[in-house]
Amino acid sequence: SRRHTPRALMAQLTVASPTNIAVIKYWGKRDTALNLPINSSVSLTINQADLRTVTTVTVSKDFEKDRLWLNGEEEDVSASKRVQKVFAMVRGRSRQWEGMKVHVVSVNNFPTAAGLASSAAGYAALAFALGKLYAVEESYPGELSTIARVGSGSACRSLAGGFVAWDMGSREDGADSCARQVAPAEHWPELQVLILVVSDKKKAVSSTAGMQTAVETSPLLAHRAAHVVPARMLAMEAAYLKKDFAAFAQLAMQDSNQFHATCLDTFPPIFYLNDVSRAVIQFVHAFNSACGETRMGYTFDAGPNAVLLVQQQHAVQALAAVLTHFPAEPGSEASYVNRPAMQQEAMALGPPAGLAAAFPLEPQVGVIKHVYHTDVGPGARLLEPSESLADAAGMPLRTK
Ligand code: DP6
């Protein structure tokens, strides 16, 4: 007689994914459908205790179509090619839940499209959650990251923690364009970041559109991809492995500056940095010259927000300098920094001697909206069912 194993009719699980900040930038695609880059890139995985996307996926025989809620608003899955591609790649690698539909509920704890790489955390969470739900087994290391990559290029670097390279690969199908952990967060626990939120408005030109115009028009971008990034990737990985902060920070600053130079070289040009961003850049250089060594670095993505790189032993001093030259809007001091105790410590310490002389700009009050102090952390992970964002029918539990 035939034996039947009972078939599950529904399942649900919840994951969290961090965002990441590139110190060698991905900018430019050789294949827009698969998000295959023109150069390799490498990033720090930001501690998900501070910035993360949580995603709950529910599969059920009762669902009529795939549905997705992002920060409480339902999105039209049929209108998002990227989401559909992620679903198709997962389903193509699994024999589970055949014919059934999925509800996705996803929430970011930071502003979407503010240049804090929410798409990276979001697509990493989606690929990781669906990969777990469908029990996808990687047939080679990094295969799951290729699924996240098809959602958003930078997302492939958020599955792993620590310092993560995205090797550009050479295959046309993108199978070798995947993420690789260079070292876990524990390798360099002293490395920290200060994120200065300059504006939380939506950016004018999306990364996708901006890099496409850059590929079509910027000879500097082509030169960068072919002749600058390969050596820089090697130097950057070596600096991280040696924990050589001065080399690490300098490479990060130079690569950020070159990325923004390619934006100016794009025709018509694209401006992601604003006057506040440029003041922060001058401020970091002044801080380092006042200290007589490189104690701070910076990197900027496709927006005006600054990500400052520091080591733990100088983090309070760095914050003190930020608070002196970029004070909070009067009345919002209490919520200016995500770590009030550190903010107090910084106020007590004050900035390094000689900074005011090296940085002649007047203090700019209220131009920075918020400061996040955070560090490097682990990659995407499974959460407890108690942290679910959806009810048993896969509908959002909380709207926000
Ligand atoms: C400046 O990954 O958002 O943050 O692949 O089109 O989704 P798509 O672009 P996206 O671009 C990120 C660009 C960057 C640099 C980086 O993260 O490496």
Side-chain angles (χ1 to χ4, degrees), residues 208-232:
T208 309
M211 68 176 85
Q212 200 43 39
T213 317
V215 165
E216 287 158 11
T217 64
S218 171
L220 177 58
L221 182 65
H223 171 78
R224 158 184 169 70
H227 302 295
V228 181
V229 172
R232 233 174 228 179

Side-chain angles (χ1 to χ4, degrees), residues 22 26-27 29 35 82 119 152-154 157 207-208 211 301-302:
Y26 150 53
W27 198 252
K29 302 178 197 195
N35 291 336
R82 291 170 179 237
S119 73
S152 180
S154 55
R157 300 183 311 238
S207 296
T208 309
M211 68 176 85
D301 277 346

Side-chain angles (χ1 to χ4, degrees), residues 2 12 31 51 55 71 80 121 127 139 171 176 179 191 217 233 245 255 265 269 275 287 321 325 338 356-357 393:
R2 280 164 54 203
Q12 180 176 86
D31 182 313
L51 296 170
T55 296
N71 295 323
S80 173
S139 59
R171 287 174 56 131
D176 59 352
L191 192 62
T217 64
M233 279 294 292
F245 183 79
D255 201 70
D265 193 45
D275 286 348
F287 179 90
H325 290 278
N338 65 333

Side-chain angles (χ1 to χ4, degrees), residues 271-285:
F271 307 105
Y272 290 121
L273 303 179
N274 64 18
D275 286 348
V276 178
S277 316
R278 283 183 285 271
V280 170
I281 290 174
Q282 277 183 274
F283 157 84
V284 172
H285 288 286

Side-chain angles (χ1 to χ4, degrees), residues 132-219:
K132 285 268 180 259
L133 185 70
Y134 282 83
V136 172
E137 298 280 357
E138 287 190 328
S139 59
Y140 60 90
E143 184 179 4
L144 197 62
S145 79
T146 68
I147 302 179
R149 187 204 72 224
V150 165
S152 180
S154 55
C156 73
R157 300 183 311 238
S158 272
L159 293 175
F163 200 50
V164 182
W166 170 12
D167 295 315
M168 64 180 288
S170 58
R171 287 174 56 131
E172 265 178 46
D173 66 3
D176 59 352
S177 186
C178 54
R180 156 181 63 85
Q181 186 183 59
V182 176
E186 297 73 35
H187 174 73
W188 195 353
E190 301 83 9
L191 192 62
Q192 303 188 339
V193 302
L194 290 170
I195 302 173
L196 311 187
V197 179
V198 169
S199 159
D200 51 13
K201 295 200 195 80
K202 271 190 168 262
K203 62 194 168 201
V205 181
S206 74
S207 296
T208 309
M211 68 176 85
Q212 200 43 39
T213 317
V215 165
E216 287 158 11
T217 64
S218 171

